[in-house]
């Protein structure tokens, strides 16, 4: 009996906030081992990664990457198991990470550089290669180490601190001797950030809705000012951080989730960039493949030894991916958002 591959396609582009109607669940046949061409590998996905960057790819406006094509499988990172192979470096049963997309199986050209990577699950859980030891972890590592470049004793602020990227940034900064202040949504997430991840303080942005209250809370949490900021959100939180930045402070722009539905995100006082001689830099981690070995070595070592903690929100089944993704954009997830496919 032939296997069926369940897939989620992008059916339409969202006009504002995405809705379930923008996605479509379809079926396709899974190729047999005999149908594979030389160099191809068939992967059965165990987990699908859901990430905020996918929202930008759903639109056809100018961005750093090509838009997600309509009526095609949604882009996304996956981890899974090789179930058929015609490539000498990959055997049936190998655990792998690839950009398999929102589907249960994918056919990968393993001869293409970087298309698929074998991973070791003896000390690191397979799912972690989509989070702390994957793209989110390396994203956090790059922004902190290469842009903020903190020194021991400095203060670093991290927005979306309980998420897959922010949680890594804060723990890396603590390991470098920094005071770390997180920003997260709700008391439960803030408790997790301080009590489990070890941040020195965490501000609940849901309770700090105006610039005055946000600034006052940051003044208490960062009495020596702020030297580095890892920015995932934008909006009033960023404006408050700007007011507290020390001279020659560094801000790494990783994401602006406050504007992912197309709304503008004005900056209240851009003159502070000049007044405080700030360095503001956006980055896309896929443009920096040279750092991956160094980053993965540190991240993998910390996860394997329990020095890097992480949390996962797991939706069940490919059909749950659209609702889980929409929840991610509204902050309903806790930690890394995954979809379990087996």
């Amino acid at each position: 009996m032939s296997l069926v591959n369940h897939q989620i396609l992008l059916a339409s582009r969202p006009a504002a906030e995405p809705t379930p109607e923008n996605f479509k669940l379809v079926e396709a046949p899974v190729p047999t081992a005999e149908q594979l061409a030389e160099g191809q590998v068939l992967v059965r996905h165990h987990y699908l990664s859901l990430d905020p960057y996918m929202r930008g790819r759903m639109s056809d406006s100018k961005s750093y990457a090509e838009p997600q094509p309509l009526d095609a499988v949604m882009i996304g990172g996956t981890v899974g198991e090789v179930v058929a192979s015609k490539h000498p470096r990959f055997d049936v049963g190998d655990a792998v990470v690839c950009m398999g997309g929102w589907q249960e199986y994918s056919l990968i050209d393993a001869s293409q550089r970087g298309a698929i990577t074998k991973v070791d699950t003896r000390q690191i859980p397979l799912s972690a290669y989509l989070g702390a030891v994957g793209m989110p972890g390396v994203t956090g590592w790059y922004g902190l180490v290469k842009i903020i470049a903190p020194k021991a004793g400095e203060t670093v602020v991290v927005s979306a601190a309980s998420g897959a990227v922010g949680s890594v940034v804060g723990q890396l900064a603590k390991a470098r001797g920094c005071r770390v202040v997180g920003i997260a949504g709700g008391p439960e997430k803030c408790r997790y950030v301080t009590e489990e991840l070890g941040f020195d303080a965490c501000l609940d942005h849901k309770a700090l809705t105006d610039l005055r209250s946000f600034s006052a809370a940051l003044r208490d949490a960062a009495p020596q000012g702020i030297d580095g900021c890892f920015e995932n959100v934008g909006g009033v939180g960023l404006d408050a951080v700007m007011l507290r930045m020390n001279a020659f402070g560094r801000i790494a722009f990783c994401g602006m989730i406050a504007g992912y539905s197309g709304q503008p995100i004005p900056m209240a006082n851009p003159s502070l960039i000049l007044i405080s001689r700030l360095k503001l830099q956006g980055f896309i981690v896929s443009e920096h493949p040279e750092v991956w070995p160094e980053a993965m070595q540190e991240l993998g070592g910390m996860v394997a030894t329990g020095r890097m903690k992480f949390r996962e929100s797991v939706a069940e089944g490919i059909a749950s991916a659209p609702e889980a993704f929409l929840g991610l954009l509204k902050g309903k997830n806790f930690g890394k958002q995954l979809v379990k496919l087996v």
Side-chain angles (χ1 to χ4, degrees), residues 34 255 292 317:
E34 293 74 24
W292 280 71

Side-chain angles (χ1 to χ4, degrees), residues 141-165:
W141 189 95
Y142 184 88
L144 180 77
V145 175
K146 297 299 184 180
I147 297 177
I148 297 174
K151 301 178 181 66
E154 291 190 324
T155 297
V156 175
V157 169
V158 185
S159 63
S162 68
V165 175

Side-chain angles (χ1 to χ4, degrees), residues 71-201:
D71 296 316
V73 176
M74 276 289 294
I75 188 173
T78 54
V79 288
E81 178 184 2
V82 173
V83 292
S85 174
K86 285 193 176 178
H87 193 286
R89 290 203 316 270
F90 295 91
D91 297 320
V92 171
D94 283 346
V96 294
V97 57
C98 57
M99 291 295 287
W102 293 26
Q103 56 184 339
E104 294 168 332
Y105 292 84
S106 64
L107 190 59
I108 305 293
D109 180 2
S111 61
Q112 184 179 343
R113 184 179 177 86
I116 183 170
T117 304
K118 213 181 305 188
V119 294
D120 188 344
T121 59
R122 289 173 295 180
Q123 292 181 296
I124 298 171
L126 180 61
S127 61
Y129 287 101
L130 293 177
V133 197
M135 183 271 290
V138 179
T139 297
W141 189 95
Y142 184 88
L144 180 77
V145 175
K146 297 299 184 180
I147 297 177
I148 297 174
K151 301 178 181 66
E154 291 190 324
T155 297
V156 175
V157 169
V158 185
S159 63
S162 68
V165 175
S167 61
V168 168
V169 174
Q171 291 177 88
L172 289 173
K174 285 300 296 180
R176 285 160 171 75
C178 297
R179 176 174 178 81
V180 182
V181 178
I183 301 171
E188 184 185 2
K189 289 184 177 180
C190 284
R191 280 194 299 272
Y192 169 71
V193 166
T194 54
E195 296 175 10
E196 295 293 325
L197 301 182
F199 286 45
D200 297 283

Side-chain angles (χ1 to χ4, degrees), residues 57-321:
R57 300 288 293 273
M58 291 173 70
S59 300
D60 57 4
S61 56
K62 180 183 178 182
S63 184
Y64 58 85
E66 289 296 316
Q68 161 74 39
L70 289 174
D71 296 316
V73 176
M74 276 289 294
I75 188 173
T78 54
V79 288
E81 178 184 2
V82 173
V83 292
S85 174
K86 285 193 176 178
H87 193 286
R89 290 203 316 270
F90 295 91
D91 297 320
V92 171
D94 283 346
V96 294
V97 57
C98 57
M99 291 295 287
W102 293 26
Q103 56 184 339
E104 294 168 332
Y105 292 84
S106 64
L107 190 59
I108 305 293
D109 180 2
S111 61
Q112 184 179 343
R113 184 179 177 86
I116 183 170
T117 304
K118 213 181 305 188
V119 294
D120 188 344
T121 59
R122 289 173 295 180
Q123 292 181 296
I124 298 171
L126 180 61
S127 61
Y129 287 101
L130 293 177
V133 197
M135 183 271 290
V138 179
T139 297
W141 189 95
Y142 184 88
L144 180 77
V145 175
K146 297 299 184 180
I147 297 177
I148 297 174
K151 301 178 181 66
E154 291 190 324
T155 297
V156 175
V157 169
V158 185
S159 63
S162 68
V165 175
S167 61
V168 168
V169 174
Q171 291 177 88
L172 289 173
K174 285 300 296 180
R176 285 160 171 75
C178 297
R179 176 174 178 81
V180 182
V181 178
I183 301 171
E188 184 185 2
K189 289 184 177 180
C190 284
R191 280 194 299 272
Y192 169 71
V193 166
T194 54
E195 296 175 10
E196 295 293 325
L197 301 182
F199 286 45
D200 297 283
C202 188
L203 308 184
D204 179 3
H205 68 76
K206 292 184 176 180
L208 303 169
T209 56
D210 63 274
L211 184 57
R212 182 183 295 273
S213 62
F214 221 128
S215 298
L218 269 177
R219 186 172 58 248
D220 294 338
Q224 302 302 315
I226 300 167
D227 302 290
C229 171
F230 193 99
E231 187 54 54
N232 286 306
V233 180
V236 66
L238 176 59
D239 289 331
V241 165
M242 295 275 288
L243 289 170
R244 295 292 300 157
M245 290 295 293
N246 291 327
F248 305 104
R250 295 83 66 196
I251 303 178
F253 282 88
C254 172
M256 299 292 278
I257 199 168
Y260 275 177
S261 291
Q263 63 271 41
I265 315 173
M267 185 177 288
N269 196 351
S271 63
L272 289 168
I273 300 171
L274 174 59
I275 294 169
S276 299
R277 287 87 79 207
L278 303 179
K279 173 185 175 181
L280 282 68
Q281 183 174 336
F283 71 100
I284 306 300
V285 74
S286 60
E287 296 176 346
H288 304 282
E290 74 283 353
V291 309
W292 280 71
E294 182 184 359
M296 290 288 281
Q297 183 175 9
E298 180 174 4
L299 295 166
M302 291 181 72
V303 168
T305 57
R307 292 177 292 129
M308 174 74 70
K309 297 180 173 63
F310 60 91
R311 186 162 174 171
E312 297 171 338
S313 293
V314 182
E316 294 285 342
I318 191 65
S320 70

